[in-house]
PDB file of all heavy atoms in Angstrom:
ATOM      1  N   ALA A 183       3.417 -16.478  12.227  1.00  0.00           N
ATOM      2  CA  ALA A 183       4.197 -15.583  13.080  1.00  0.00           C
ATOM      3  C   ALA A 183       4.866 -16.354  14.214  1.00  0.00           C
ATOM      4  O   ALA A 183       6.062 -16.173  14.497  1.00  0.00           O
ATOM      5  CB  ALA A 183       3.302 -14.482  13.642  1.00  0.00           C
ATOM      6  N   PHE A 184       4.105 -17.240  14.854  1.00  0.00           N
ATOM      7  CA  PHE A 184       4.639 -18.040  15.961  1.00  0.00           C
ATOM      8  C   PHE A 184       5.775 -18.947  15.492  1.00  0.00           C
ATOM      9  O   PHE A 184       6.829 -19.043  16.136  1.00  0.00           O
ATOM     10  CB  PHE A 184       3.515 -18.875  16.582  1.00  0.00           C
ATOM     11  CG  PHE A 184       3.978 -19.819  17.647  1.00  0.00           C
ATOM     12  CD1 PHE A 184       4.269 -19.360  18.929  1.00  0.00           C
ATOM     13  CD2 PHE A 184       4.148 -21.170  17.384  1.00  0.00           C
ATOM     14  CE1 PHE A 184       4.704 -20.226  19.922  1.00  0.00           C
ATOM     15  CE2 PHE A 184       4.583 -22.055  18.361  1.00  0.00           C
ATOM     16  CZ  PHE A 184       4.868 -21.576  19.636  1.00  0.00           C
ATOM     17  N   THR A 185       5.569 -19.607  14.348  1.00  0.00           N
ATOM     18  CA  THR A 185       6.574 -20.537  13.819  1.00  0.00           C
ATOM     19  C   THR A 185       7.849 -19.804  13.412  1.00  0.00           C
ATOM     20  O   THR A 185       8.961 -20.267  13.686  1.00  0.00           O
ATOM     21  CB  THR A 185       6.005 -21.300  12.608  1.00  0.00           C
ATOM     22  OG1 THR A 185       4.808 -21.980  12.995  1.00  0.00           O
ATOM     23  CG2 THR A 185       7.014 -22.319  12.086  1.00  0.00           C
ATOM     24  N   ILE A 186       7.697 -18.679  12.766  1.00  0.00           N
ATOM     25  CA  ILE A 186       8.864 -17.910  12.322  1.00  0.00           C
ATOM     26  C   ILE A 186       9.687 -17.450  13.519  1.00  0.00           C
ATOM     27  O   ILE A 186      10.917 -17.582  13.541  1.00  0.00           O
ATOM     28  CB  ILE A 186       8.423 -16.698  11.471  1.00  0.00           C
ATOM     29  CG1 ILE A 186       7.839 -17.174  10.136  1.00  0.00           C
ATOM     30  CG2 ILE A 186       9.600 -15.752  11.223  1.00  0.00           C
ATOM     31  CD1 ILE A 186       7.169 -16.078   9.337  1.00  0.00           C
ATOM     32  N   VAL A 187       9.022 -16.910  14.539  1.00  0.00           N
ATOM     33  CA  VAL A 187       9.731 -16.423  15.724  1.00  0.00           C
ATOM     34  C   VAL A 187      10.393 -17.584  16.469  1.00  0.00           C
ATOM     35  O   VAL A 187      11.546 -17.481  16.912  1.00  0.00           O
ATOM     36  CB  VAL A 187       8.754 -15.677  16.666  1.00  0.00           C
ATOM     37  CG1 VAL A 187       9.439 -15.342  17.989  1.00  0.00           C
ATOM     38  CG2 VAL A 187       8.254 -14.406  16.001  1.00  0.00           C
ATOM     39  N   ARG A 188       9.694 -18.711  16.574  1.00  0.00           N
ATOM     40  CA  ARG A 188      10.238 -19.869  17.301  1.00  0.00           C
ATOM     41  C   ARG A 188      11.435 -20.483  16.583  1.00  0.00           C
ATOM     42  O   ARG A 188      12.444 -20.819  17.208  1.00  0.00           O
ATOM     43  CB  ARG A 188       9.144 -20.928  17.466  1.00  0.00           C
ATOM     44  CG  ARG A 188       9.598 -22.147  18.288  1.00  0.00           C
ATOM     45  CD  ARG A 188       8.538 -23.218  18.299  1.00  0.00           C
ATOM     46  NE  ARG A 188       8.285 -23.717  16.938  1.00  0.00           N
ATOM     47  CZ  ARG A 188       7.323 -24.589  16.637  1.00  0.00           C
ATOM     48  NH1 ARG A 188       6.500 -25.015  17.581  1.00  0.00           N
ATOM     49  NH2 ARG A 188       7.155 -25.000  15.392  1.00  0.00           N
ATOM     50  N   GLU A 189      11.357 -20.621  15.271  1.00  0.00           N
ATOM     51  CA  GLU A 189      12.393 -21.317  14.526  1.00  0.00           C
ATOM     52  C   GLU A 189      13.514 -20.404  14.027  1.00  0.00           C
ATOM     53  O   GLU A 189      14.661 -20.853  13.877  1.00  0.00           O
ATOM     54  CB  GLU A 189      11.780 -22.046  13.327  1.00  0.00           C
ATOM     55  CG  GLU A 189      10.795 -23.139  13.721  1.00  0.00           C
ATOM     56  CD  GLU A 189      10.209 -23.842  12.514  1.00  0.00           C
ATOM     57  OE1 GLU A 189      10.520 -23.413  11.372  1.00  0.00           O
ATOM     58  OE2 GLU A 189       9.442 -24.809  12.696  1.00  0.00           O
ATOM     59  N   GLU A 190      13.182 -19.135  13.743  1.00  0.00           N
ATOM     60  CA  GLU A 190      14.173 -18.252  13.114  1.00  0.00           C
ATOM     61  C   GLU A 190      14.470 -16.995  13.916  1.00  0.00           C
ATOM     62  O   GLU A 190      15.377 -16.245  13.552  1.00  0.00           O
ATOM     63  CB  GLU A 190      13.696 -17.869  11.706  1.00  0.00           C
ATOM     64  CG  GLU A 190      13.409 -19.068  10.814  1.00  0.00           C
ATOM     65  CD  GLU A 190      12.832 -18.651   9.472  1.00  0.00           C
ATOM     66  OE1 GLU A 190      13.411 -17.739   8.851  1.00  0.00           O
ATOM     67  OE2 GLU A 190      11.806 -19.227   9.053  1.00  0.00           O
ATOM     68  N   GLY A 191      13.723 -16.773  14.981  1.00  0.00           N
ATOM     69  CA  GLY A 191      13.970 -15.601  15.803  1.00  0.00           C
ATOM     70  C   GLY A 191      13.096 -14.423  15.425  1.00  0.00           C
ATOM     71  O   GLY A 191      12.613 -14.321  14.294  1.00  0.00           O
ATOM     72  N   LEU A 192      12.895 -13.524  16.392  1.00  0.00           N
ATOM     73  CA  LEU A 192      12.041 -12.349  16.185  1.00  0.00           C
ATOM     74  C   LEU A 192      12.569 -11.447  15.076  1.00  0.00           C
ATOM     75  O   LEU A 192      11.806 -10.816  14.343  1.00  0.00           O
ATOM     76  CB  LEU A 192      11.931 -11.564  17.494  1.00  0.00           C
ATOM     77  CG  LEU A 192      11.030 -10.321  17.481  1.00  0.00           C
ATOM     78  CD1 LEU A 192       9.583 -10.717  17.191  1.00  0.00           C
ATOM     79  CD2 LEU A 192      11.120  -9.580  18.810  1.00  0.00           C
ATOM     80  N   SER A 193      13.884 -11.384  14.939  1.00  0.00           N
ATOM     81  CA  SER A 193      14.479 -10.492  13.937  1.00  0.00           C
ATOM     82  C   SER A 193      14.064 -10.853  12.515  1.00  0.00           C
ATOM     83  O   SER A 193      14.096 -10.006  11.614  1.00  0.00           O
ATOM     84  CB  SER A 193      16.000 -10.517  14.053  1.00  0.00           C
ATOM     85  OG  SER A 193      16.499 -11.816  13.814  1.00  0.00           O
ATOM     86  N   THR A 194      13.667 -12.117  12.290  1.00  0.00           N
ATOM     87  CA  THR A 194      13.260 -12.539  10.948  1.00  0.00           C
ATOM     88  C   THR A 194      12.022 -11.785  10.477  1.00  0.00           C
ATOM     89  O   THR A 194      11.842 -11.551   9.285  1.00  0.00           O
ATOM     90  CB  THR A 194      12.993 -14.054  10.924  1.00  0.00           C
ATOM     91  OG1 THR A 194      14.177 -14.740  11.323  1.00  0.00           O
ATOM     92  CG2 THR A 194      12.604 -14.524   9.527  1.00  0.00           C
ATOM     93  N   LEU A 195      11.157 -11.407  11.421  1.00  0.00           N
ATOM     94  CA  LEU A 195       9.964 -10.645  11.051  1.00  0.00           C
ATOM     95  C   LEU A 195      10.326  -9.270  10.504  1.00  0.00           C
ATOM     96  O   LEU A 195       9.489  -8.610   9.876  1.00  0.00           O
ATOM     97  CB  LEU A 195       9.033 -10.491  12.263  1.00  0.00           C
ATOM     98  CG  LEU A 195       8.335 -11.761  12.762  1.00  0.00           C
ATOM     99  CD1 LEU A 195       7.499 -11.454  13.989  1.00  0.00           C
ATOM    100  CD2 LEU A 195       7.466 -12.374  11.664  1.00  0.00           C
ATOM    101  N   TYR A 196      11.552  -8.844  10.757  1.00  0.00           N
ATOM    102  CA  TYR A 196      11.996  -7.536  10.250  1.00  0.00           C
ATOM    103  C   TYR A 196      13.023  -7.684   9.135  1.00  0.00           C
ATOM    104  O   TYR A 196      13.761  -6.764   8.841  1.00  0.00           O
ATOM    105  CB  TYR A 196      12.552  -6.691  11.402  1.00  0.00           C
ATOM    106  CG  TYR A 196      11.451  -6.106  12.247  1.00  0.00           C
ATOM    107  CD1 TYR A 196      10.926  -6.809  13.320  1.00  0.00           C
ATOM    108  CD2 TYR A 196      10.888  -4.876  11.920  1.00  0.00           C
ATOM    109  CE1 TYR A 196       9.880  -6.292  14.067  1.00  0.00           C
ATOM    110  CE2 TYR A 196       9.844  -4.350  12.661  1.00  0.00           C
ATOM    111  CZ  TYR A 196       9.354  -5.063  13.730  1.00  0.00           C
ATOM    112  OH  TYR A 196       8.306  -4.547  14.459  1.00  0.00           O
ATOM    113  N   ARG A 197      13.048  -8.871   8.512  1.00  0.00           N
ATOM    114  CA  ARG A 197      13.942  -9.066   7.384  1.00  0.00           C
ATOM    115  C   ARG A 197      13.472  -8.197   6.220  1.00  0.00           C
ATOM    116  O   ARG A 197      12.298  -8.160   5.876  1.00  0.00           O
ATOM    117  CB  ARG A 197      13.955 -10.546   6.965  1.00  0.00           C
ATOM    118  CG  ARG A 197      14.824 -10.822   5.755  1.00  0.00           C
ATOM    119  CD  ARG A 197      14.943 -12.311   5.525  1.00  0.00           C
ATOM    120  NE  ARG A 197      15.651 -12.938   6.629  1.00  0.00           N
ATOM    121  CZ  ARG A 197      15.670 -14.245   6.843  1.00  0.00           C
ATOM    122  NH1 ARG A 197      14.981 -15.051   6.070  1.00  0.00           N
ATOM    123  NH2 ARG A 197      16.348 -14.741   7.854  1.00  0.00           N
ATOM    124  N   GLY A 198      14.383  -7.483   5.620  1.00  0.00           N
ATOM    125  CA  GLY A 198      14.035  -6.604   4.504  1.00  0.00           C
ATOM    126  C   GLY A 198      13.420  -5.289   4.940  1.00  0.00           C
ATOM    127  O   GLY A 198      12.804  -4.588   4.127  1.00  0.00           O
TER     128      GLY A 198
END
Side-chain angles (χ1 to χ4, degrees):
F184 175 78
T185 303
I186 292 170
V187 172
R188 183 186 62 186
E189 297 180 356
E190 304 175 48
L192 182 63
S193 61
T194 301
L195 291 178
Y196 283 88
R197 178 172 295 166

